[in-house]
Amino acid sequence: MTLLASFNHPVADAQRAFRRILKAMSEPGVMVSLPLQQGWGDLSPAATAVLLTLVDQESALWLDNRIDNEVVRSNLRFHTGVPIVDERDAPFALTHAAANPDPALFASGDNMSPEKSTTLIVEVPSLSGGLTLRLSGPGLRESRAIAPQLPEAILHYLRERPHPFPQGVDLIFTCGEAMMALPRTTDVEVC
């Protein structure tokens, strides 16, 4: 078992990270920094900080095969206690863009319980240099353009939005020490 560092000051750093994640979720397309000295294994520091902040023994996490390894599992077990499950209806899922994850395969909640959807955390190659997306909706006074490098399945999901609001999957994109979020409430136009 290889244990790696977590936050230097667990309570204060988790609170700081939570405020930044909340900012990213409430202002879609805003890039926030989640500094952490290192990620666990191949995970970026931002993805590691998101996991340290959001998952715990009360939630469940689905791991993509490209990310699932003993280093990640042992650190998740030690630092968060989160149960790792095989079902894609978990509250949280972690994947890599190279896996071309389809958000439509994860829990989208229902009209009575939209909160029972999955928050999909996706490690991407870059939060810039991809196809331009124009965002509008709650949290945005005017439209905002972003260009993260997203896999085709996510772009297709954003174009089609197979789940009617309030259903849907919340997306968190991480790269290095940065993260960006696209909650299900955001209208996305692929340019």
Side-chain angles (χ1 to χ4, degrees):
M1 180 161 78
T2 305
L3 291 180
L4 300 172
S6 101
F7 292 128
N8 289 332
H9 306 284
V11 174
D13 291 347
Q15 290 173 338
R16 190 174 303 110
F18 183 78
R19 284 191 297 275
R20 291 178 181 182
I21 294 167
L22 186 59
K23 177 177 178 60
M25 291 296 285
S26 63
E27 297 178 41
V30 166
M31 198 178 317
V32 297
S33 175
L34 296 173
L36 191 65
Q37 289 185 355
Q38 69 178 17
W40 294 334
D42 293 333
L43 289 183
S44 69
T48 303
V50 167
L51 292 171
L52 284 167
T53 305
L54 297 182
V55 303
D56 60 23
Q57 63 274 12
E58 303 279 323
S59 57
L61 174 70
W62 177 86
L63 290 174
D64 185 286
N65 289 337
R66 291 178 184 261
I67 290 176
D68 189 2
N69 60 51
E70 190 51 41
V71 171
V72 171
R73 278 183 179 255
S74 61
N75 281 281
L76 281 167
R77 201 170 23 251
F78 180 79
H79 293 292
T80 70
V82 66
I84 298 171
V85 297
D86 294 330
E87 298 80 30
R88 290 179 185 235
D89 62 351
F92 295 95
L94 177 64
T95 187
H96 194 282
N100 198 22
D102 184 358
L105 299 177
F106 294 90
S108 62
D110 58 42
N111 287 338
M112 298 303 288
S113 299
E115 74 280 1
K116 292 185 178 178
S117 66
T118 299
T119 297
L120 182 59
I121 306 158
V122 183
E123 288 267 60
V124 296
S126 177
L127 292 173
S128 61
L131 190 62
T132 301
L133 306 174
R134 186 162 318 285
L135 311 179
S136 60
L140 297 165
R141 285 192 182 158
E142 53 190 44
S143 65
R144 174 177 290 143
I146 62 170
Q149 292 180 8
L150 301 178
E152 187 54 43
I154 290 179
L155 291 172
H156 177 73
Y157 177 83
L158 292 172
R159 282 186 194 108
E160 302 301 320
R161 291 289 177 142
H163 307 111
F165 183 78
Q167 299 173 34
V169 173
D170 295 318
L171 298 165
I172 294 177
F173 305 122
T174 58
C175 181
E177 291 186 354
M179 74 150 281
M180 172 186 300
L182 285 181
R184 74 189 90 169
T185 56
T186 306
D187 295 319
V188 180
E189 177 187 350
V190 180
C191 301

